[in-house]
Amino acid sequence: MNVYGKKIYLRAMEPEDMEMYREMANDPETERLLGGWSFPISKREQLSWYERAVSDKNNLRFTIVVQETEEAIGMLNLVDIDWKNGSAFHGIRLSGNKGKGFGTDAVMTIMKYAFEELRLIRLDGSFIEYNLPSQGLYKKCGWVIEGTKKKAYYRNGQHYNLLIAGITDEEYFEIKERLGY
């Protein structure tokens, strides 16, 4: 089942998406803005990751596709899904500058799926304190910064804080109405 937003849709990952995913993972600017630890990833490693990931129903990953052009522009996920408590961690990666104008639609679309289809009640996320585009995107989509992990990431010879954000189903339904989704 594809999940449709206004400009994009989310679909299951396919093997042909793995080169784009690998390029994003190996891009130094993407690594600088996102959490985690990046090592160079080979084609073989990327395909091996894909084989493990596609059957994992507690960690759902989607490719973001522009409806008008059918171009894949990134990925997003719902991971560490806690089915009992109704929560998951969400993240997004957009390829290069292709996310301009599509990020809000992608986040609203995954929230629609999480809250309306999966009946989750909470999503969590995080971003490095200097990632102002992510902060703006999630604030626009109704997310609230709920805390800070001090010196959680090391980039360019310096430690940075990690901002913890979240949104509940009630907050989603309010912002959905306000943004016209």
Side-chain angles (χ1 to χ4, degrees):
M1 170 181 95
N2 293 336
V3 184
Y4 285 84
K6 291 181 176 181
K7 302 178 198 175
I8 60 91
Y9 66 91
L10 308 176
R11 65 162 168 76
M13 297 185 304
E14 297 291 348
E16 56 267 19
D17 299 327
M18 291 308 103
E19 184 57 28
M20 175 187 62
Y21 282 24
R22 189 176 72 83
E23 287 174 8
M24 287 189 298
N26 286 331
D27 177 36
E29 181 61 16
T30 300
E31 193 272 338
R32 187 184 78 74
L33 290 173
L34 300 178
W37 185 267
S38 291
F39 296 102
I41 297 172
S42 69
K43 288 181 181 182
R44 185 172 151 203
E45 287 172 312
Q46 189 67 50
L47 288 173
S48 177
W49 173 84
Y50 168 79
E51 292 300 328
R52 291 186 311 275
V54 292
S55 61
D56 185 351
K57 298 308 176 203
N58 290 321
N59 294 290
L60 304 176
R61 293 169 172 89
F62 303 88
T63 297
I64 304 166
V65 180
V66 177
Q67 290 181 31
E68 189 175 304
T69 63
E70 290 295 317
E71 178 186 12
I73 61 166
M75 69 169 297
L76 52 67
N77 60 36
L78 296 171
V79 296
D80 299 327
I81 299 173
D82 181 340
W83 297 106
K84 180 179 179 182
N85 294 307
S87 66
F89 186 88
H90 161 67
I92 184 172
R93 280 187 180 193
L94 296 168
S95 179
N97 290 324
K98 296 181 180 177
K100 299 217 183 294
F102 297 109
T104 300
D105 197 34
V107 172
M108 292 301 296
T109 303
I110 196 64
M111 289 193 307
K112 173 184 173 182
Y113 181 67
F115 293 127
E116 296 182 30
E117 294 294 325
L118 300 180
R119 296 182 295 156
L120 299 179
I121 61 167
R122 175 179 179 79
L123 292 179
D124 296 302
S126 64
F127 29 83
I128 296 172
E129 65 184 319
Y130 59 73
N131 188 340
L132 299 179
S134 286
Q135 289 182 50
L137 168 62
Y138 283 95
K139 182 177 181 179
K140 181 178 181 179
C141 293
W143 291 59
V144 176
I145 295 176
E146 299 177 335
T148 301
K149 285 178 72 174
K150 295 179 182 177
K151 295 185 174 185
Y153 284 104
Y154 184 77
R155 299 286 188 273
N156 301 320
Q158 187 174 339
H159 285 93
Y160 293 94
N161 297 333
L162 177 70
L163 303 178
I164 309 298
I167 188 166
T168 65
D169 54 349
E170 291 100 352
E171 292 164 331
Y172 159 73
F173 285 109
E174 286 175 21
I175 198 74
K176 174 186 172 186
E177 191 71 27
R178 201 168 343 136
L179 294 180
Y181 273 83

